[in-house]
Amino acid sequence: MVEVANRENIEITKAGPLNEGRKIFLQMRLPDAKVGNDTLSRYITGLNSHDKSTGLSVGVGNTVASCTNKFYQFNKKNQIRMRHTASLEENLQHLPQLIKTVMKSELELIETFKRLADTRVSMNFVNDVMVKFTGVDTSLSPTQAEKKYSTKKLNIAQNLAESINEEMKGKGQTLWGLWNGITHYTNHKKSVPRRHNARIEALMCGTHNDMNNQALAMCVKKIPAKTVHSFTFN
């Protein structure tokens, strides 16, 4: 990936271990993009493993400057299974084209984000998202909710609701604001193991990544059909 980055004149900005070295990641910086009033730092991200849990995966990554929310997306199609065999060198020959394919997908994702920012969202859908990820129906009164749900569930729902409210307050009552509320929660509030780079690990390849991508898929389905951009989700 370093060779490809040098050849394509792309800056490598960060690399490191995940889960005590079981996985490693590397990021290449792309030019910033604007979505609504937000500036996005854009990256091509490589993820590989020493524990055989994944092949070399190349995906997208970005950070929303206003809230430092990070988001990563890897597609199984953009993966090379790395094995110590004669085919290794042959597989690596496909890496430059794979990175170019991911760069194209990343541009499509930015266009999808812009459509999210242009689409108003109903509070009924916000409640649907809350139910999906917390199991708590926020349309209930506080008294009804306390009778129906555990304190742990209510605390999780409150944390997520606060993140959504905060992001929608700054980004508007839009699908973009709602989705950023989800990523704010996974980036800043959802628990992670106590180890080095645990937050990045969870956001790249853990339950936090699953939650972000599921929420994005839900939001994309709410974009008016004529403006939905073709994009493949995990």
Side-chain angles (χ1 to χ4, degrees):
M1 290 192 70
V2 172
E3 290 179 5
V4 173
N6 289 337
R7 187 160 60 244
E8 300 294 331
N9 197 28
I10 305 174
E11 179 188 9
I12 292 177
T13 57
K14 190 173 184 179
L18 302 175
N19 197 1
E20 301 177 342
R22 290 175 176 82
K23 292 183 177 67
I24 55 173
F25 74 94
L26 178 146
Q27 289 189 307
M28 299 185 291
R29 183 76 179 262
L30 299 175
D32 290 350
K34 292 287 289 186
V35 175
N37 295 323
D38 287 303
T39 299
L40 268 66
S41 301
R42 301 161 55 226
Y43 302 91
I44 297 296
T45 303
L47 181 66
N48 201 7
S49 70
H50 292 291
D51 61 2
K52 300 181 181 179
S53 60
T54 179
L56 171 61
S57 299
V58 182
V60 302
N62 58 64
T63 302
V64 181
S66 63
C67 46
T68 64
N69 293 342
K70 294 178 173 60
F71 170 69
Y72 302 93
Q73 188 172 76
F74 296 90
N75 190 308
K76 288 184 179 180
K77 293 180 181 179
N78 298 332
Q79 185 178 100
I80 299 176
R81 297 302 301 184
M82 304 291 282
R83 296 188 178 91
H84 296 288
T85 67
S87 64
L88 175 61
E89 184 174 344
E90 181 180 345
N91 284 339
L92 287 175
Q93 291 176 2
H94 299 297
L95 185 58
Q97 184 57 47
L98 182 59
I99 290 176
K100 288 182 180 180
T101 299
V102 172
M103 290 175 70
K104 180 180 178 182
S105 296
E106 197 275 341
L107 289 174
E108 293 175 354
L109 182 61
I110 296 298
E111 289 304 309
T112 298
F113 287 162
K114 291 178 180 179
R115 291 180 173 95
L116 294 179
D118 289 338
T119 306
R120 297 279 295 176
V121 65
S122 70
M123 294 314 295
N124 285 338
F125 181 63
V126 174
N127 184 55
D128 290 343
V129 171
M130 289 290 298
V131 172
K132 165 71 175 177
F133 295 111
T134 70
V136 174
D137 183 352
T138 56
S139 67
L140 298 177
S141 69
T143 302
Q144 290 173 317
E146 288 175 4
K147 290 181 178 179
K148 187 172 182 178
Y149 305 113
S150 67
T151 300
K152 181 179 179 180
K153 267 196 169 186
L154 290 174
N155 287 339
I156 292 173
Q158 181 176 349
N159 284 332
L160 180 55
E162 288 174 351
S163 287
I164 290 174
N165 289 336
E166 180 177 339
E167 291 301 306
M168 291 180 71
K169 186 176 181 179
K171 296 173 171 53
Q173 193 173 324
T174 63
L175 291 171
W176 176 243
L178 171 59
W179 184 67
N180 270 270
I182 299 293
T183 59
H184 183 276
Y185 172 74
T186 58
N187 272 262
H188 303 291
K189 297 181 179 180
K190 188 171 168 59
S191 62
V192 296
R194 293 185 178 181
R195 58 177 178 245
H196 181 58
N197 280 340
R199 181 71 59 182
I200 295 176
E201 177 189 349
L203 290 168
M204 280 190 182
C205 51
T207 57
H208 299 50
N209 180 272
D210 293 339
M211 184 173 177
N212 288 342
N213 277 282
Q214 288 173 26
L216 180 58
M218 288 180 70
C219 288
V220 166
K221 288 180 180 178
K222 287 294 181 179
I223 300 175
K226 65 179 181 180
T227 64
V228 173
H229 203 296
S230 175
F231 198 83
T232 303
F233 298 98
N234 292 338

